[in-house]
Amino acid sequence: MIENFTQNIQDYLKHIYALTETGNAASTNDLAARIGVAPASVTGMIQKLAALRPPLVAYRKRRGVTLTPEGEKAALEVIRHHRLLETYLVTVLGYSWDNVHEE
């Protein structure tokens, strides 16, 4: 599923998941601060993710964004792949845990 997503989309899914783990919607400002982009850029990407079929996010203006069940599944797949790659870098290639995220 995530093979068709750009790195940018994968990053947004991962960050939205992290911000919404407590059950609250993520604000565009919080998401923008976490990713390091302008809130307007976040709004554009959120609209793109909401327009996909199936939609990956549910967005309500001024109320934030949450992942749809399909979006949560995709976010968890992204996180799982990243963790597997990090584990490989540490166990096979000898990276330290504090350096693997950058790789």
Side-chain angles (χ1 to χ4, degrees):
M1 174 183 211
I2 65 167
E3 305 83 36
N4 300 328
F5 297 155
T6 65
Q7 184 65 45
N8 201 24
I9 289 174
Q10 291 181 33
D11 287 343
Y12 270 85
L13 291 173
K14 187 170 56 171
H15 290 298
I16 293 168
Y17 181 84
L19 288 169
T20 60
E21 279 186 298
T22 61
N24 297 321
S27 73
T28 54
N29 288 333
D30 288 343
L31 197 50
R34 188 174 182 114
I35 296 173
V37 298
S41 296
V42 170
T43 301
M45 178 57 85
I46 288 171
Q47 290 171 342
K48 180 179 176 180
L49 295 173
L52 292 175
R53 293 294 167 236
L56 298 178
V57 299
Y59 175 62
R60 293 175 53 196
K61 196 172 184 176
R62 295 186 197 87
R63 295 193 183 198
V65 62
T66 57
L67 294 169
T68 62
E70 294 84 4
E72 185 172 347
K73 181 180 175 184
L76 289 170
E77 188 175 345
V78 168
I79 293 166
R80 180 177 175 267
H81 283 205
H82 286 190
R83 287 185 181 154
L84 286 172
L85 183 55
E86 289 172 347
T87 301
Y88 172 79
L89 290 172
V90 169
T91 58
V92 177
L93 299 181
Y95 282 77
S96 65
W97 278 108
D98 55 340
N99 292 328
V100 295
H101 184 70
E102 289 301 318
E103 285 297 319

